[in-house]
Amino acid sequence: MRHNRAEQMSEDDERQQSPPSDLQFTSNKARNCNATGSGSDHPEFQSPYPDQVLENVLENVLHFLTSRRDRNAASLVCKSWYRVEALTRSELFIGNCYTVAPGRATDRFTRVRALHLKGKPRFADFNLMPPDWGAHFNPWVLATAKAYPWLEKVYLKRMSVTDDDLATMTESFSGFKELVLVCCDGFGTSGLAIFVSKCRQLRVLDLIESEVADDETDWISCFPEGESHLESLIFDCVECPINFEALERLVARSPSLKKLRLNRYVSIGQLYRLMIKSPQLTHLGTGSFSPLEVAGQGDQEPDYVTAFAACRSLVCLSGFREIIPDYLPATYPVCANLTSLNFSYANITAEQLKPIISNCYKLQVFWVLDSICDEGLQAVAATCKELRELRVFPIDAREDSDSPVSEVGLQAISEGCRKLQSILYFCQRMTNAAVIAMSKNCPDLVVFRLCIMGLHRRDPVTGEPMDDGFGAIVMNCKKLTRLAVSGLLTDKAFDYIGKYGKLVRTLSVAFAGDSDMGLKYVLEGCPQLQKLEIRDSPFGDAALRSGLHHYYNMRFLWMSSCRLTRQGCQGIARVMPRLVVEVIRSADEEEMEMDDLVGTLYMYRSLEGPRIDAPKFVNILR
Amino acid sequence: MSLDNGKKLPENDAAGLNFEATELTLGLPGKSRVTSDGGAKLGTKRGYLESVDLNLGDKNSGQSQIDVQEAAMSPVSKTQVVGWPPVRAFRKNAMKSCKYVKVAADGAPYLRKVDLQMYNSYQQLLTSLEQMFSCFTIRNYLNEKKTVDQMNEIEYVAIYEDKDGDWMLVGDVPWQMFVESCKRLRLMKSSEAIGLAPRTPPKCSSTT
C-alpha cells in the first residue's frame, strides 16, 4: 500500500500539485522522522502512519529538486530522506563508472528514467592510455535493462559501447527517447542501424566526437517509415558516406526536427535540399560546405542565401568541414541571430571571417581555428560583446609549429568580451601581461585553459616564467572552477593556485613545476579539487602522500610520466582501502620492480574495490 | 647565464647540444620508445634530470628529459611528444585536409577542387592537375612543358588568385606561402597569357 501511495504521489507531482495547505511541517518532525507517534501534538495528523505522511510530503517536495548536489545533500539528512530521495531521483549521474557497480546503483535508485555515465579520464583522448582499458557500457546496460524498463535517456561520455549494447537497449527499453554518445567508441553503423530501426519513440540521436566503425551499413535508411519524432540528429563525427536520399526523406518526415548536424559526406548542394525541407531548424551542422567534384562552370548554383534566410530560428551553426570560402556569404542572413558558431574545422582567414563575424553581435559561443590570426580575434572582440565561450584551436597541432595567434589576440578578446566565462586558447606565444589583463578584464571566468604548445615557453617579452599570469587568473577570477596551465612554470605558480584557487575543481598540468612542493601546494590548498590530471611533471611519492586527506573527495587523480614509484603508489593503496590505485603501463613495457618509476597512475575512489575487467596492462595495487 | 628569452629551445638547432644536454642524469641509457604511428615516445617512463642540479639560479635548467634526449639522439629532427598538444585525434585528422580551392580550366566543362595541403611542391600540384585535366598541357613555372597528350597540344599556364584578389603566376613564391595565400586556381590558355611573361628559370633542380 505504501508503495502505491508513493506512486500516486509521484504522479501527482507530475501534475505539479502542491502539498495540502493544512499540513504543518516543522523541523522537529523532520528530525524525529523515525520516531513513532510523533503526530500527537497535531490532531489533524492522527493517522496510523505519521511517518508515512511525512515521507509522502517529502517525496512531493523532493521531486522539485533537480540539482544532483542538492539531492546528495538531502539524502544525507536522515534515513527517511535518504529513502525518499532515492525514490525521487529520476536522473542518475555517475561521474566515474567504476566508482559504483551497476547493481548497487539500481538497488538504491529504483525509478531512474535517465542515465548519465562517464568512463575514461580525459587524457585518454590524447593517446596517453592504451586502447581497451575499460569503461564498458555492457554491465550497465544489462543492469538497467532489468531495473529500468521505462528508461528513456542515456548519455555516455568516454565509454565503450558495442553494437550488442545498442541492440540490448532496443530490446529492453520500449519507450526509449534519447541517446547521446560523446567521445565513445566500440560500435559501428550496423549497431546504429539496429538501434534506429527498433527505437520507434526516438527523439534524440546525438553522436558527438565519437568513433563509429564503418560496417558499410546504410543506417539512415533504417529509420522506420511514417512520421518520426526526431528532434535532434547529430552525426557529424561519422566518417562514412550516408544514403542522402534516405536522409532527405527522413528530414522531410520529421516535423519536430530542430537540430541537424551533418557529416562531411554531405555536399553543399545536398545541404541546400535539406535546408529547404527544414526551415524550423535551430541547430545546423553544414557538413562539408563544399560542392561535389563535378559542377558545370556555367551551371546555376542553388540559391544558398535564400535557404539560410528561410531558417529564421537558426541560432547555432557548425560544420564547414571542407569549406570553400566562396560560399561563406550564404550564411549572412542568419548571423544576426546566431548565439553559437563553430568554425573550428574551417581554414579561413581574418578577411574571410570579418564579414561574417561583424554581424554576429549576439554570439555567445565561438569555436575557431587559429588561421584567423590575431586580426581575426580583434574582429571578434570588436563585435561579440555577449561572448561567453571562446575556443581557438591550432591548425597545425605540433609542439614546434608556427601559430598565428598570440598575446595580441588574447588581449583584444579580454578587452572586447568582458562577459567571457570560458576560454580554451592554443598558441605558441603568450605573455604574462596579456593573461593578467584577461584576469582583470574578465572577472566572470569560470574556465581558463591556455595551451602554449611549445614546451617550457617563457614570457617572450620579459623572459620570465608564466607563473604570474596564471597566478593573476586564480587571484582575480573568483568564480574559476577549471584551469589548464602551460608554458614554463615553477612551483610558484602552484603556490598561487593552492592559495587562491579555492573553487578549482578541475586542474590540468603538463610539463610544469620544479619539485614535490608544486603538487603539495595544490593538494593542500584546493578543497574543491575533483579532477587532477598531470603529465610529465617532476612530482613524486612525497607529493602524492600530501593528498591523502583529500583523495576520497576526488573523482580521480591522473599522473603520467611523473616521478612516482611503484612503492610510493603501493603505500597509498595500503592506507586508502576505498581507493582503486591503477598503474597503467604501455603495451611494450615489462612488469616493473618496486622502485621503478610508474608510467601512469590512475587513482579513483570506489565502493567496489578492484574492477574485474582490468586488462593485462593495468596493475591494481593493494 | 643568459636566458633564452622565448627563442626556440636550442635542441632545434642542428648544432645545438646545449649545456643542459651534457648534464648528468639518472636516466637509463637513452632509450626511446616508438609509438604505433612511428613517433618516438621519449623519456616518458624513466629517468629525469635535476638529480644533479646544476642550477645556477636559472630556471632554464628545468628542461624536460624529452628535450635532452632529443638533443642527444637527433639534433636535427624533432620528434613529437605523444599526446601533445592536447588536440583529439579526430580534430587532428580533420585538419589534415582543409585547404580546398576551386580549379577552373579554360575550355573545360567542369570545375575541380583540390586540397593544396595534399602536396608538398609545385611539381606535385601540377602533376596532379594534369591528371585531372588530362587532355591539357600545363606549362609549369620553370617554363618546361609537360605534355600528356601530344595530339591536342594546347598549352596552359597556371595562375592563382591570392588573398588580395590579384591574379598571380603559380610558382613565384615559396610553396608554403602559396598554399596560404591561394584562394583559387585557374588554368589559362597560354595564348591569352599576355602580360604574364614566362620567367627565367631559376638555377635549381626541377624537383622542389
Side-chain angles (χ1 to χ4, degrees), chain A residues 18-71:
Chain A
S18 49
S21 52
D22 56 347
L23 264 180
Q24 290 176 28
F25 192 51
T26 66
S27 56
N28 262 339
K29 275 199 181 341
R31 269 198 291 281
N32 297 330
C33 54
N34 281 328
T36 54
S38 54
S40 50
D41 299 345
H42 300 270
E44 60 266 36
F45 293 138
Q46 283 306 327
S47 115
Y49 309 106
D51 294 339
Q52 185 184 319
V53 170
L54 190 66
E55 289 206 5
N56 291 343
V57 168
L58 197 55
E59 205 177 311
N60 232 344
V61 171
L62 286 186
H63 268 297
F64 291 100
L65 218 55
T66 44
S67 147
R68 63 176 188 267
R69 285 195 191 95
D70 289 346
R71 283 191 157 272

Side-chain angles (χ1 to χ4, degrees), chain A residues 125-126 158 209 290-291 293 295 297 326-327 344 347 399-400 453 456 458 535 561-562 588-589 597, chain B residues 8 33 44-45 48 60 64 78 80-84 86 88 90-91 98 102 105 108 111 113 184:
Chain A
D125 291 352
F126 313 123
R158 293 197 190 93
E209 295 197 52
S290 157
E293 295 279 25
Q297 285 218 46
D326 306 56
Y327 294 101
S344 66
N347 185 353
E399 191 200 319
D400 50 357
M453 293 188 280
H456 311 296
R458 294 171 174 270
R535 62 167 295 180
S561 304
C562 297
D588 48 354
E589 277 181 53
L597 287 175
Chain B
K8 286 248 181 197
R33 208 155 291 110
T44 50
K45 186 184 174 211
Y48 294 88
N60 212 16
S64 80
K78 186 162 173 75
Q80 299 299 314
V81 175
V82 171
W84 185 265
R88 290 198 185 114
F90 182 84
R91 190 173 283 284
C98 62
K102 281 183 180 175
L111 294 170
K113 66 179 180 179
R184 76 179 86 245

Side-chain angles (χ1 to χ4, degrees), chain B residues 101-157:
Chain B
V101 295
K102 281 183 180 175
V103 186
D106 289 355
Y110 48 80
L111 294 170
R112 301 301 299 259
K113 66 179 180 179
V114 291
D115 176 9
L116 293 179
Q117 289 191 345
M118 296 282 288
Y119 311 106
N120 290 319
S121 69
Y122 287 113
Q123 197 77 354
Q124 288 180 9
L125 172 64
L126 291 172
T127 305
S128 179
L129 288 177
E130 274 161 29
Q131 285 163 5
M132 279 187 210
F133 299 95
S134 57
C135 52
F136 307 142
T137 302
I138 306 174
R139 183 183 289 276
N140 75 4
Y141 69 105
L142 288 177
N143 210 23
E144 292 163 4
K145 278 192 282 185
K146 299 180 101 304
T147 305
V148 176
D149 181 351
Q150 297 275 15
M151 295 296 291
N152 295 317
E153 214 179 282
I154 309 168
E155 278 187 12
Y156 282 74
V157 168

